[in-house]
Amino acid sequence: MRLVYVLLPALLTPSLLACSPESKSGTETCTCIPDDVGGDMTPPSPGATCGDDLCAQILLDDIADNQGTEVKNPDALACAFDALTAKTPGVIRWSYKFNYSQYDEEGYIVIRDDGTIIRRNWGQMDLDYIASDALHGEAPSDAQLAACTAMTDLVERFECLRTFTITEIEICDGGWELLGDA
């Protein structure tokens, strides 16, 4: 259950919910991010065309007998941080399920040729569905990445990957939310 409390604030962070009044996917940096109409429980287009996958998809899921959540493939997480540190162009993807899939999230980070990144995540929590903006911005500093990789708990290290601060340049495609109680 510890991860439920970590995921909820990250998904509900106002900066993730702020939608751009218009998509900027026509700009040169955003051309590989599809415009998504949004507004329903259809996930954003996961097929960012900005490059090849750099690593296996990072998978997080429940441990048997409701003992928490674990990173199922730690090598993929290590690969993701190596790619971010080296600013290797391509795509990093994740799938995050916990509490017996009551909560799930997918996402990606695109590392661009110029060293900037685009990050987007989307997921369902009970009856709510949230898709974040496809945010184009400056990659985290080497110090931020080093702090993340120094974390010995792999789930915390993953949380650092999916939530590190991005200095915004532009929003490539606006996010949306669908709240089940609305």
Side-chain angles (χ1 to χ4, degrees):
M1 289 308 284
R2 170 181 68 128
L3 293 174
V4 170
Y5 301 110
V6 172
L7 177 64
L8 290 175
L11 279 176
L12 298 175
T13 301
S15 65
L16 292 177
L17 299 177
C19 295
S20 171
E22 59 187 76
S23 172
K24 295 184 174 141
S25 64
T27 66
E28 186 175 321
T29 55
C30 292
T31 55
C32 60
I33 304 299
D35 279 330
D36 286 304
V37 175
D40 61 13
M41 295 180 91
T42 304
S45 302
T49 58
C50 301
D52 296 328
D53 288 351
L54 298 170
C55 312
Q57 183 179 40
I58 303 164
L59 303 172
L60 280 82
D61 207 342
D62 291 319
I63 299 172
D65 298 323
N66 203 22
Q67 296 298 309
T69 303
E70 68 181 341
V71 176
K72 298 291 187 179
N73 53 350
D75 291 344
L77 183 59
C79 174
F81 278 108
D82 289 346
L84 281 164
T85 301
K87 295 184 177 23
T88 306
V91 183
I92 298 165
R93 299 179 195 279
W94 65 84
S95 175
Y96 186 16
K97 299 181 186 318
F98 59 99
N99 201 21
Y100 298 101
S101 296
Q102 179 180 7
Y103 305 95
D104 66 74
E105 176 187 294
E106 292 192 37
Y108 61 76
I109 297 172
V110 176
I111 305 170
R112 299 192 34 80
D113 291 336
D114 63 3
T116 62
I117 63 171
I118 300 170
R119 181 173 62 195
R120 175 170 242 178
N121 60 306
W122 58 93
Q124 185 170 344
M125 300 179 301
D126 292 324
L127 299 176
D128 298 342
Y129 189 86
I130 299 171
S132 73
D133 296 333
L135 179 62
H136 174 227
E138 298 295 329
S141 68
D142 290 341
Q144 286 176 303
L145 291 173
C148 289
T149 57
M151 295 176 172
T152 56
D153 183 290
L154 293 178
V155 175
E156 289 177 7
R157 191 180 305 170
F158 168 74
E159 282 298 321
C160 195
L161 173 80
R162 65 180 281 284
T163 62
F164 58 68
T165 302
I166 298 174
T167 303
E168 181 179 332
I169 295 172
E170 64 187 322
I171 295 172
C172 292
D173 186 45
W176 65 91
E177 66 180 68
L178 179 66
L179 303 178
D181 61 353

